[in-house]
Amino acid sequence: MANITLKNIKKTYEGGVTVIEDLNLEIKDKEFVVLVGPSGCGKSTTLRMIAGLESISDGEMYIGERLVNKVPPKDRDIAMVFQTYALYPHMTVYKNMAFGLLQRKVDKKIIDEKVMHAAKILDLEKYLKRKPKALSGGQRQRVALGRAMVRNPEIFLLDEPLSNLDAKLRTEMRAQISKLHQELGTTFVYVTHDQTEAMTMADRICVMKDGVIQQYDTPEVLYDKPANLFVASFIGSPEMNLFTAKVQIENGKHYILLDDMKMELPEGLVEDERLAPYNGKEVVLGIRPEDMYLENVMKESYPDAVMHVKAELVENTGSEANIYFNHETRKANGGMSIAKINSRDHIHLGDNVDLVIDKNRIHLFDGETTKSILN
Ligand SMILES: Nc1ncnc2c1ncn2[C@@H]1O[C@H](COP(=O)(O)OP(=O)(O)OP(=O)(O)O)[C@@H](O)[C@H]1O
Ligand SMILES: [Mg+2]
């Protein structure tokens, strides 16, 4: 069983800098887990501790039932793929993939079977005789994956393996790695700072900031029920719009006040006890760009949830259009707010627009603790 358990893990680098204080993470057997977060948050450090390339200052790391704190990398049944694929330039693709096994004196016939199998899955059969310099970036990255595959590891660790590739190749390789995970049925831990990669590939995403896990859940839950403002802003593109609004509770009904809007919250969206402490106070109202509509139908259902804005910029992507607008209470993430609408609605620069908020999809956060009030 290749489940991975991190218990109260602490990491202090030489020189005394503690980058991870107390990390607890459980990765299930065969799961695809993505560690995501801004630069310097400790993703690579965590991955390298799982690999055994970095010592653990305190806490316990288990692979299956086995405590591995002191187990060297080669005895962990793990293969790691890095951002820089580090292929041997003078060796053919075949030799690059076979090299680790050759060194371990594995039977030539078995090596051949494994390399050919990996080459087939990764669509590299045509390139086996080539040297790395005669390959594209994506093909090189596949060779690096193949080299990891032939070892039949129980766990794959990947640290930003696609960041050297252009956008189109990244999308292709994303799909290929997901497919590889399905075919191999092994545990994958994948590091990236790209939320799209995390959202498209992961069974579960672990969002980190400053060495601390902010939320660990499925992509759907992270998107629909972010635990705090950091996760809310980090996951989703364009970013969630955040405004400063006010809570009002009257006769047991919940209202959010913003400009001249007095929006009654749908029953059951938030429990009385959770909202009560905020009565009369400011909170952060979060609305994803796609949860604002122009349609008159919506206006009829939610006449009290309309924002009047002016289109400062209209970005047409073909299927949809992003309307940029200014709002004086816009919070934290700076710049303009965005509503994503149907491009066929033909909104133009300078138009005054009524945006209807899907009340069931709003988010509310405590401005001080940054925690979600809804979830
Ligand atoms: N060998 C080291 N000695 C001291 N500090 C280090 C060492 N390696 C990393 N750090 C520090 O630990 C913190 C976490 O680094 P880490 O490489 O894990 O971040 P990351 O999340 O992978 O970032 P990135 O997205 O930029 O790769 C950073 O502040 C970094 O400066
Ligand atoms: Mg890193």
Coordinates of all heavy atoms in Angstrom, one line a residue, residues 13-15 17-20 37-46 48 54 83 159-160 191-193 208, ligand 1:
Y13 N 15.7 24.5 8.0 CA 16.9 24.3 7.1 C 18.1 24.7 8.0 O 18.0 25.5 9.0 CB 16.8 25.2 5.9 CG 16.0 24.6 4.8 CD1 14.8 25.0 4.4 CD2 16.6 23.5 4.1 CE1 14.1 24.4 3.4 CE2 15.9 22.9 3.0 CZ 14.6 23.4 2.7 OH 13.9 22.8 1.6
E14 N 19.3 24.3 7.5 CA 20.5 24.7 8.2 C 20.5 26.2 8.2 O 20.2 26.9 7.2 CB 21.7 24.2 7.4 CG 22.1 22.8 7.7 CD 22.0 21.9 6.5 OE1 22.9 22.1 5.6 OE2 21.1 21.1 6.4
G15 N 21.0 26.8 9.3 CA 20.9 28.2 9.4 C 19.7 28.6 10.3 O 19.6 29.8 10.7
V17 N 16.3 28.5 9.6 CA 15.0 29.0 9.1 C 14.0 27.8 9.1 O 14.2 26.8 8.5 CB 15.2 29.5 7.6 CG1 14.0 30.4 7.3 CG2 16.5 30.1 7.4
T18 N 12.9 28.0 9.8 CA 11.8 27.0 9.8 C 10.9 27.4 8.7 O 10.2 28.4 8.8 CB 11.1 27.0 11.2 OG1 12.1 26.6 12.2 CG2 10.0 26.0 11.2
V19 N 10.8 26.5 7.7 CA 9.9 26.8 6.6 C 8.5 26.0 6.8 O 7.5 26.4 6.2 CB 10.5 26.6 5.2 CG1 11.6 27.5 5.0 CG2 11.0 25.1 5.1
I20 N 8.6 24.9 7.5 CA 7.3 24.2 7.8 C 7.3 23.9 9.3 O 8.2 23.4 9.9 CB 7.3 22.9 7.0 CG1 7.1 23.2 5.5 CG2 6.1 22.0 7.5 CD1 7.3 22.1 4.6
G37 N 0.5 26.3 -4.4 CA 0.6 27.5 -3.6 C 1.7 28.4 -4.2 O 2.4 28.0 -5.1
P38 N 1.8 29.6 -3.7 CA 2.7 30.6 -4.3 C 4.2 30.2 -4.1 O 4.5 29.3 -3.2 CB 2.4 31.9 -3.5 CG 1.7 31.5 -2.3 CD 1.0 30.2 -2.6
S39 N 5.1 30.8 -4.8 CA 6.5 30.5 -4.7 C 7.0 30.7 -3.3 O 6.6 31.6 -2.6 CB 7.2 31.5 -5.6 OG 8.6 31.2 -5.6
G40 N 7.8 29.7 -2.8 CA 8.4 29.7 -1.5 C 7.5 29.2 -0.4 O 7.9 29.3 0.8
C41 N 6.3 28.6 -0.7 CA 5.4 28.2 0.4 C 5.8 26.8 0.9 O 5.2 26.4 1.9 CB 3.9 28.2 -0.1 SG 3.6 26.9 -1.3
G42 N 6.7 26.2 0.3 CA 7.2 24.9 0.9 C 6.8 23.7 0.2 O 6.9 22.5 0.7
K43 N 6.3 23.8 -1.1 CA 5.9 22.7 -1.9 C 7.0 21.7 -2.2 O 6.9 20.5 -1.9 CB 5.3 23.1 -3.2 CG 4.2 24.1 -3.1 CD 3.6 24.6 -4.4 CE 4.6 25.3 -5.3 NZ 5.0 26.7 -4.8
S44 N 8.1 22.2 -2.7 CA 9.2 21.4 -3.1 C 9.8 20.8 -1.8 O 10.2 19.6 -1.8 CB 10.3 22.2 -3.8 OG 9.8 22.6 -5.1
T45 N 9.9 21.5 -0.8 CA 10.5 21.0 0.5 C 9.7 19.8 0.9 O 10.2 18.8 1.3 CB 10.4 22.1 1.6 OG1 11.2 23.2 1.1 CG2 11.0 21.6 2.9
T46 N 8.3 19.9 0.9 CA 7.5 18.8 1.3 C 7.7 17.6 0.4 O 7.9 16.5 0.9 CB 6.0 19.2 1.2 OG1 5.8 20.4 2.0 CG2 5.1 18.2 1.7
R48 N 10.3 16.9 -1.4 CA 11.7 16.3 -1.2 C 11.8 15.5 0.1 O 12.6 14.6 0.2 CB 12.7 17.4 -1.3 CG 12.8 18.0 -2.7 CD 13.6 19.3 -2.8 NE 15.0 19.0 -2.3 CZ 16.0 18.5 -3.1 NH1 15.7 18.2 -4.3 NH2 17.2 18.3 -2.6
E54 N 15.5 15.3 1.4 CA 15.6 16.4 2.4 C 15.3 15.7 3.8 O 14.3 15.0 3.9 CB 14.6 17.5 2.1 CG 14.9 18.8 2.6 CD 16.2 19.4 2.0 OE1 16.2 19.8 0.8 OE2 17.2 19.5 2.7
Q83 N 11.4 19.5 -12.7 CA 11.1 20.5 -13.7 C 12.2 20.5 -14.8 O 11.8 20.5 -16.0 CB 11.2 21.9 -13.0 CG 11.1 23.1 -13.9 CD 11.1 24.3 -13.1 OE1 11.2 24.3 -11.9 NE2 11.1 25.5 -13.8
D159 N 7.7 17.4 -9.5 CA 7.9 18.8 -9.1 C 7.9 19.7 -10.3 O 8.9 19.8 -11.1 CB 9.2 19.0 -8.3 CG 9.2 20.3 -7.6 OD1 8.4 21.1 -7.8 OD2 10.1 20.4 -6.7
E160 N 6.8 20.4 -10.5 CA 6.6 21.3 -11.7 C 7.1 20.7 -13.0 O 7.9 21.4 -13.7 CB 7.3 22.6 -11.4 CG 7.0 23.2 -10.0 CD 6.5 24.6 -10.0 OE1 6.2 25.1 -11.1 OE2 6.4 25.2 -8.9
V191 N 3.6 18.7 -7.7 CA 3.7 20.1 -7.2 C 3.6 21.0 -8.4 O 4.2 20.8 -9.4 CB 5.1 20.2 -6.6 CG1 5.5 21.7 -6.5 CG2 5.1 19.6 -5.2
T192 N 2.9 22.1 -8.2 CA 2.8 23.2 -9.2 C 2.3 24.5 -8.5 O 1.8 24.4 -7.4 CB 1.7 22.8 -10.3 OG1 1.6 23.9 -11.2 CG2 0.3 22.6 -9.7
H193 N 2.6 25.6 -9.1 CA 2.0 26.8 -8.6 C 0.9 27.3 -9.5 O 0.3 28.3 -9.3 CB 3.1 27.9 -8.4 CG 3.8 28.3 -9.6 ND1 5.0 27.8 -9.9 CD2 3.4 29.0 -10.7 CE1 5.4 28.2 -11.1 NE2 4.5 29.0 -11.6
M208 N -1.3 25.4 -0.1 CA -0.3 25.8 0.9 C 0.0 27.3 0.8 O 0.0 27.9 -0.2 CB 1.0 25.0 0.8 CG 0.8 23.5 1.1 SD 2.3 22.6 0.7 CE 3.4 23.1 2.1
Ligands
LIG1 N1 18.5 24.6 1.2 C1 17.8 25.6 1.8 N2 18.2 26.3 2.8 C2 17.5 27.3 3.4 N3 16.3 27.6 3.0 C3 15.7 27.0 1.9 C4 16.4 25.9 1.3 N4 15.6 25.4 0.3 C5 14.5 26.1 0.4 N5 14.6 27.0 1.3 C6 13.5 28.0 1.7 O1 12.3 27.3 2.1 C7 11.2 27.9 1.6 C8 10.3 26.9 0.8 O2 11.0 26.6 -0.3 P1 10.5 25.6 -1.4 O3 11.5 25.3 -2.4 O4 9.9 24.4 -0.7 O5 9.3 26.4 -2.0 P2 8.3 26.1 -3.2 O6 6.9 26.2 -2.7 O7 8.7 24.9 -3.9 O8 8.5 27.4 -4.2 P3 8.6 27.5 -5.8 O9 7.2 27.5 -6.3 O10 9.3 28.8 -6.0 O11 9.4 26.3 -6.3 C9 11.6 29.1 0.8 O12 11.5 30.3 1.6 C10 13.1 28.8 0.5 O13 13.8 30.0 0.4

